[in-house]
């Protein structure tokens, strides 16, 4: 379905001051327009909205049948007819031709130019003669590399663009005939070529294939024709001889067919490759990958001539990798890299647009209200001419290319309007007597001939479906130019200007809340996105204006999806993110009262706010906006209220307001423990300790732990990338440290918090620096050991606990808070703590070790298995690192204490089996001599 809008994509219009009625014309590059008439080509300079200025003119060999311009190499290729014979010529360095009588250099393709002639070639226009064994019928230039593909009756010839080095300072453009593609059973009427992709079209057939490098291209390969298909038309049950049957009484029509991918090799069209390049390591050998074959059947029921139902306007359109506004690439290459490729071709009343990179897919079908004559595809639009109308349709190329560039574009972070969205006609502009069209940059070139009584050139009906010759729309020619023709340049307006008109137009649908508003704003979004994909052609100011329009369009689409209750309401989230709008700005835009004065909040807005608050954005809402958010969720999604209130962005919420809304909740429908904890946190925030204690006492401790697991932000929040304990966590540290440790352990076991994050949380909570370990963190480690950790984490946990015990013993440093578990608790509850060695009892019974905390640490330190942990400590010391000195100091001080208290035999038993004897020898000697000293 095609939607129709009455917008204004066409701007200024000017007349090309050519002297004779154009027979062929083409444009390209920065500002070039070429018009062929008779045996002459006129070149014009087209820049902005200024008048089209003649640049130069040059004579041709004969009447021009086909023109093609290549931006790569800045050359013009032409098929010219003289004495009923067709010739292929390429015009190089045409910009240097000042007057029509200037000398011109003519040379043969591949002809070696000697250095003495360099100055001549530098200042003169050159014409390269390109001889062919068969008459050329159509040509196409690769827009990326500048290679030239020539279509003949049963083959395609590829000329590779290269530069012939004349001297160190100078080189000239040249070609090399590198490949011949032999094709049977189809005669090309039009061809299109782009970086190895070949599309060719007959009257009712289209074939798309890709030339691929041979993996052994670096080796010397003898030519062997590679036939991709040998089967001919027998696949259809009709022999080749039958297809060649000619009769004046009937015409054989084949059935319509579409074959995608490798299945297209079954079309019956035989393709054979012949490499003709010289023995150059840069010349590659190819094989063919079939992509698409499509055949149409003539509608004989309408009794119209075959000429009226022929295909036309074959075109390959590349879109390059330039970095979209949502791309993560920081620096992009200046060299063009193909991102996606599209193929367009058309019947008189319907056009087809395919995507042909990676997979072949029909993207859009264009139904024309009138019979079309010609069409041109651009990244933004499809322009179609009928006899009296210039029509502008939207295309989906930028939407498809966005997904090629970023397959994850349709997520909660980024979005793009779908490729399947209906196309629309932006404008149908009246032009009397339209005959031909071409396009370059933002210019549309139109040939009109206002002669309503003109009789079309009469043609005999074909006896069988053969091809026509020539790539452009063929115009009736006469020896004398007839009056009433004009060649116009119509400029399309800037994307930003058309975007603004689309946005203004969309406001007519805004209050109706229909899909039409989304559709038109999506069109505006794709228009800007397509313009940004060709950002290399933009000035910095233009690009900045487009980026601003892109963000604004995302905001408008976010508004639409947030207002509508549809299955795509969730798209409000990525579009608002891409818009750069803050949550406060979105909430300010979201005030849409109904006619009766009530307020209704749709799923899209709720979805956006809910996800934004859950992502811990570094944005704090004002008290008024926070209250508005609570009121919205109370109306639309009350079960999310406890989670919403725990967001760091809701820091400024009035706790009285929050408790009022929480008290209205019916807790039967969801977890009452979460409501309880949220109310307790709010009561603490407003200083009501009695309410806080009552709420915390209403559930047993294990249920409270479950509540914290449901919403970790009751304890731990992140602001600007930093871990911040909540006011409730600080209060629990002082009043219920056991509940706090159990809750953090529960978060770890449920993958709600990482090990390093938990360590940082307790250090920040207790006001310790990164090298100081608070007792609450040791309590957590001991709880982790009791709960059981995977083997990969167990040794690390052993080492952390042992290091802390040793440090406190060596420094005679007591814990900063009372430990939650005694050594007896750990021995009874955890298998990792073994029985106490006798030598430990000796140390504990010493009068000098009367401090209870010291004896507790020593008891806990002993299984943790001294025999396993001392070697581990030694291993850490060997590995070095920033903590190496700390480990070494701890080991020395521990050994000093143990050597004093233990007997020599007991001391030997705890020493590791490996290590440097010189390190342990002083402690052994001291231990052995201490009796004699006493």
């Amino acid at each position: 379905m095609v939607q129709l809008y009455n917008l204004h994509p066409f701007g200024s219009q000017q007349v090309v001051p050519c002297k004779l009625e154009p027979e062929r014309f083409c444009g390209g590059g920065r500002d070039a327009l070429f018009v062929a008439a008779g045996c002459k080509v006129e070149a014009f300079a087209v820049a902005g909205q200024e008048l089209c200025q003649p640049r130069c003119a040059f004579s041709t060999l004969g009447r021009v049948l086909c023109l093609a311009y290549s931006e790569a190499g800045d050359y013009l290729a032409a098929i010219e007819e003289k004495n009923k014979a067709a010739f292929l010529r390429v015009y190089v360095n045409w910009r240097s031709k000042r007057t029509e009588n200037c000398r011109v250099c003519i040379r043969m393709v591949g002809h070696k130019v000697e250095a003495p002639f360099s100055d001549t070639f530098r200042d003169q226009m050159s014409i390269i003669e390109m001889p062919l064994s068969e008459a050329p019928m159509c040509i196409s230039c690769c827009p990326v590399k500048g290679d030239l593909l020539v279509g003949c009756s049963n083959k395609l010839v590829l000329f590779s663009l290269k530069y012939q080095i004349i001297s160190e300072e100078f080189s000239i453009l040249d070609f090399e005939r590198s490949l011949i593609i032999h094709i049977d059973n189809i005669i090309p009427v039009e061809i299109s070529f782009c970086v190895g992709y070949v599309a060719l079209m007959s009257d009712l057939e289209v074939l798309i294939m890709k030339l691929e490098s041979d993996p052994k291209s670096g080796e010397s390969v003898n030519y062997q024709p590679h036939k991709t298909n040998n089967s001919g038309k027998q696949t259809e049950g009709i022999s080749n001889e039958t297809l060649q049957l000619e009769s004046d009484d009937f015409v054989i029509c084949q059935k319509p067919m579409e074959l995608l991918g490798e299945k297209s090799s079954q079309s019956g069209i035989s393709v054979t490759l012949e490499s003709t390049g010289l023995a150059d390591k840069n010349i590659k050998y190819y094989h063919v990958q079939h992509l698409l074959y499509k055949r149409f059947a003539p509608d004989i029921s309408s009794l119209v001539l075959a000429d009226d139902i022929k295909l036309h306007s074959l075109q390959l359109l590349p879109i390059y990798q330039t970095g979209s506004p949502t791309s993560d690439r920081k620096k992009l290459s200046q060299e063009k890299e193909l991102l996606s490729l599209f193929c367009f071709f058309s019947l008189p009343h319907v056009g087809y647009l395919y995507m042909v990179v990676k997979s072949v897919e029909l993207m859009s079908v264009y139904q024309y209200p009138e019979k079309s004559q010609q069409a041109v595809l651009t990244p933004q639009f499809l322009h179609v001419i009928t006899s009296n109308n210039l029509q502008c349709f939207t295309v989906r190329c930028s939407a498809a290319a966005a997904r090629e560039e970023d397959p994850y574009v349709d997520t909660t972070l980024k979005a793009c309007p779908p490729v399947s969205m209906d196309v629309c006609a932006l404008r149908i502009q009246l032009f009397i007597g339209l005959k031909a069209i071409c396009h370059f940059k933002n210019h549309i070139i139109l040939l009109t001939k206002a002669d309503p009584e003109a009789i079309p050139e009469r043609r005999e009906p074909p006896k069988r479906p053969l091809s026509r010759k020539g790539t452009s729309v063929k115009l009736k020619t006469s020896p004398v130019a007839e009056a009433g023709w004009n060649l116009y340049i119509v400029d399309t307006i800037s994307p930003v200007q058309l975007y603004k008109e689309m946005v203004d137009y969309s406001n007519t649908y805004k209050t109706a809340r229909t899909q039409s508003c989304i559709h038109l704003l999506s069109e505006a979004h794709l228009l800007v996105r397509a313009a940004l994909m060709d950002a290399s052609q933009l000035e910095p100011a233009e690009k900045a204006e487009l980026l601003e329009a892109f963000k604004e369009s995302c905001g408008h689409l976010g508004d639409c999806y947030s207002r509508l209750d549809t299955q795509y309401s969730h798209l409000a989230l990525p579009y608002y993110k891409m818009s750069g709008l803050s949550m406060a700005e979105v909430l300010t835009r979201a005030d849409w009262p109904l006619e009766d004065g009530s307020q209704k909040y749709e799923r899209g807005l709720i979805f956006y706010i809910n996800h934004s608050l859950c992502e811990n954005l570094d944005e704090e809402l004002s008290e008024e906006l926070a209250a508005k958010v609570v009121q919205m969720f109370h109306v639309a999604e009350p079960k999310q209220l406890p989670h919403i209130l725990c967001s760091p962005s809701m820091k400024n919420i009035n706790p009285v307001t929050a408790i009022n809304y929480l008290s209205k909740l019916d807790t039967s429908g969801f977890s009452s423990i979460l409501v309880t904890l949220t109310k307790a946190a709010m009561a603490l925030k407003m200083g009501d300790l009695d309410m806080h204690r009552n709420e915390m006492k209403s559930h047993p401790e294990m249920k409270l732990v479950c509540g914290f697991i449901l919403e970790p932000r009751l304890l731990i929040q992140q602001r600007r990338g930093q871990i911040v304990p909540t006011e409730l966590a600080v209060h629990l540290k002082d009043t219920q440290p056991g509940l706090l440790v159990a809750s953090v352990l529960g978060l770890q076991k449920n993958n709600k918090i990482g090990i390093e994050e938990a360590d940082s949380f307790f250090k920040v909570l207790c006001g310790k620096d990164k090298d100081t370990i608070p007792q609450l963190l040791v309590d957590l480690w001991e709880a982790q050991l009791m709960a059981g950790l995977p083997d990969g984490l167990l040794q690390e946990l052993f080492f952390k606990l042992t290091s802390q015990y040793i440090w406190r013993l060596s420094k005679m440093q007591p814990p900063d808070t009372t430990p939650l578990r005694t050594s007896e608790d750990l021995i009874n509850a955890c298998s990792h703590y073994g029985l106490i060695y006798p030598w430990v009892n000796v140390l504990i019974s010493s009068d000098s070790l009367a401090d209870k905390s010291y004896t507790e640490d020593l008891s806990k330190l002993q299984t943790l298995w001294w025999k396993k942990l001392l070697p581990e400590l030694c291993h850490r010391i060997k590995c070095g690192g920033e903590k190496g000195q700390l480990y070494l100091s701890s080991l020395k001080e521990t050994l000093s204490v143990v050597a004093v208290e233990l007997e020599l035999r007991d001391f030997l038993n705890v020493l590791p089996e490996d290590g440097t004897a010189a390190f342990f020898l002083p402690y052994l000697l001291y231990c052995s001599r201490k009796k004699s000293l006493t």
Side-chain angles (χ1 to χ4, degrees), residues 135-179:
M137 300 170 61
C138 45
I139 52 178
S140 177
C141 305
C142 173
V144 179
K145 296 184 177 180
D147 298 340
L148 177 63
L149 187 68
V150 186
C152 303
S153 60
N154 59 3
K155 65 184 177 185
L156 307 177
V157 183
L158 177 61
F159 290 90
S160 298
L161 177 67
K162 66 176 187 178
Y163 287 89
Q164 191 180 134
I165 298 176
I166 304 300
S167 64
E168 292 183 359
E169 300 85 14
F170 181 58
S171 62
I172 62 172
L173 182 147
D174 201 2
F175 293 88
E176 178 182 1
R177 188 174 67 174
S178 59
L179 187 69

Side-chain angles (χ1 to χ4, degrees), residues 323-381:
S324 71
T326 59
S327 174
D328 294 330
R329 285 184 297 278
K330 300 294 183 184
K331 188 175 181 181
L332 300 164
S333 173
Q334 295 297 321
E335 186 176 331
K336 288 183 178 179
E337 179 184 351
L338 186 68
L339 173 64
S340 196
L341 188 68
F342 305 90
C343 183
F344 175 82
F345 48 87
S346 183
L347 285 170
H349 288 283
V350 60
Y352 299 88
L353 179 60
Y354 282 83
M355 180 171 61
V356 295
V357 169
K358 293 186 180 178
S359 63
V360 182
E361 178 185 348
L362 177 62
M363 286 176 49
S364 304
V365 177
Y366 293 87
Q367 300 286 344
Y368 313 136
E370 301 177 34
K371 178 186 172 184
S372 65
Q373 297 183 169
Q374 200 177 357
V376 290
L377 179 69
T378 74
Q380 289 94 357
F381 303 114

Side-chain angles (χ1 to χ4, degrees), residues 63 101 364 369:
R63 174 172 168 251
N101 295 326
S364 304

Side-chain angles (χ1 to χ4, degrees), residues 36-41 58-64 78 80 89 91 127:
C39 296
K40 182 182 291 186
V41 172
F58 46 88
S59 299
T60 61
L61 190 63
R63 174 172 168 251
V64 176
E80 303 169 12
R89 305 174 100 201
Y91 296 85
I127 301 176

Side-chain angles (χ1 to χ4, degrees), residues 93 96-97 103 118-125 170:
N93 201 23
S96 65
K97 188 171 176 60
R103 295 183 61 184
S118 61
D119 291 337
T120 302
F121 281 101
R122 189 193 306 268
D123 299 328
Q124 287 185 1
M125 182 179 83
F170 181 58

